[in-house]
Amino acid sequence: DIAGNMSVIAGSPELSRLLAPGGRPLREGERLVQPALADTLALIRSRGAKEFHEGEGARRFVDAARAAGARFTDEAFAVAAPQFRAPLTVTLRETRVAFLPPPSMAGVYQAQVWQMLAPRWPDASPAEQANLLVEAQKRALADARRWAALDLSDFALVTDAISARRAQSMMADYRAGQVSAIEAPAALPESPATATLVAVDVEGGAAACAVSAGAFFGSGRSAAGAILAAPSTGGASPGTASLSAMMAIRAAAGRGAFSARADSEQFVFAGASG
């Protein structure tokens, strides 16, 4: 990634010093030293997030970010906070599954695929399951063509798009063992500059998160050791390029949801993708 994006890195003296000392991109096994980032992380660790957003650390970060071309102010940075939205949920054979809500379109696509697969998957042979998966994906991708003209902030519209009724309609012409003539567009675009993490606690709580710089090495600018994300594009709401997904699931039984009881069929899974 470093070698393939030297045109971006070369435009920043700071990134060039870190990632391509002497003009040669770092190679696998070589040491990457980031003292400015270490200072920022040490500040958060020792004084907390509040200091990073409101204290002297915030002023230094905002000044450095604005010098690198960012447009936010001290006041805007002080009140910056994640936006939590209710996930899209579908219930499949007594299993409740949650998906990422808009403005991301991936959750709608995934929920539609699950709804189309659920009634047919258990009774399908392994060979038919492969065909079934492809056909469901083709239909969901074809349906995505109309999303650009839809207001995905309309909860009723999105709920209808992932309903069992809608899935039945989309699969009305499906025939086992047959390949449909549906022409699906290319797959949903994925950002290569995305990383994901999943955390699970001992009480059965799980959180999945995907973060993205928006492009390889973000905007190509850095501040306080952090590479600044590229601006959001494509009509996404502010901040979605930096924090593209966050979902939390709590097991219904509360404590002990991950117990190893042999008679328990309860489970919680959390996953994230770019």
Side-chain angles (χ1 to χ4, degrees):
D1 292 344
I2 295 174
N5 291 273
M6 282 298 292
S7 59
V8 176
I9 295 169
S12 166
E14 176 66 12
L15 292 185
S16 295
R17 184 181 63 79
L18 288 174
L19 304 175
R24 182 183 66 80
L26 289 177
R27 297 170 181 164
E28 182 177 355
E30 294 184 322
R31 187 180 299 274
L32 170 62
V33 181
Q34 302 181 84
L37 179 60
D39 289 345
T40 298
L41 296 178
L43 172 71
I44 297 172
R45 182 182 65 247
S46 60
R47 301 186 187 179
K50 185 177 179 65
E51 169 68 18
F52 180 64
H53 277 277
E54 299 179 10
E56 177 63 21
R59 186 187 62 79
R60 292 200 302 268
F61 177 78
V62 172
D63 287 349
R66 289 181 65 82
R71 298 179 181 176
F72 53 82
T73 63
D74 291 30
E75 293 76 17
F77 187 64
V79 299
Q83 297 179 21
F84 292 91
R85 297 182 178 91
L88 305 179
T89 59
V90 295
T91 300
L92 309 174
R93 300 200 175 199
E94 301 181 353
T95 300
R96 182 172 176 267
V97 188
F99 300 93
L100 185 67
S104 168
M105 295 189 299
V108 179
Y109 164 79
Q110 292 167 342
Q112 285 186 331
V113 171
W114 274 69
Q115 284 280 38
M116 285 185 277
L117 293 178
R120 298 171 174 83
W121 190 267
D123 300 326
S125 67
E128 181 54 31
Q129 285 178 340
N131 183 59
L132 179 60
L133 178 60
V134 171
E135 288 297 314
Q137 291 176 327
K138 285 168 63 175
R139 285 162 169 79
L141 285 171
D143 197 49
R145 288 172 169 155
R146 63 191 189 97
W147 294 349
L150 299 179
D151 179 8
L152 292 183
S153 66
D154 186 332
F155 182 78
L157 185 150
V158 174
T159 300
D160 179 70
I162 64 171
S163 67
R165 181 196 61 78
R166 175 66 180 161
Q168 291 172 358
S169 173
M170 294 169 70
M171 292 291 280
D173 62 345
Y174 174 80
R175 299 293 181 270
Q178 296 183 12
V179 177
S180 70
I182 296 174
E183 293 185 9
L188 295 175
E190 295 186 36
S191 169
T194 300
T196 63
L197 60 92
V198 177
V200 181
D201 67 24
V202 296
E203 296 184 350
C209 183
V211 293
S212 175
F216 275 120
F217 303 101
S219 61
R221 314 283 180 85
S222 63
I227 296 177
L228 301 177
S232 300
T233 58
S237 64
T240 53
S242 299
L243 181 58
S244 56
M246 192 161 199
M247 179 177 66
I249 306 171
R250 177 67 61 176
R255 293 181 180 273
F258 281 162
S259 66
R261 286 172 44 199
D263 61 343
S264 174
E265 295 182 354
Q266 203 169 37
F267 68 93
V268 172
F269 166 82
S273 82

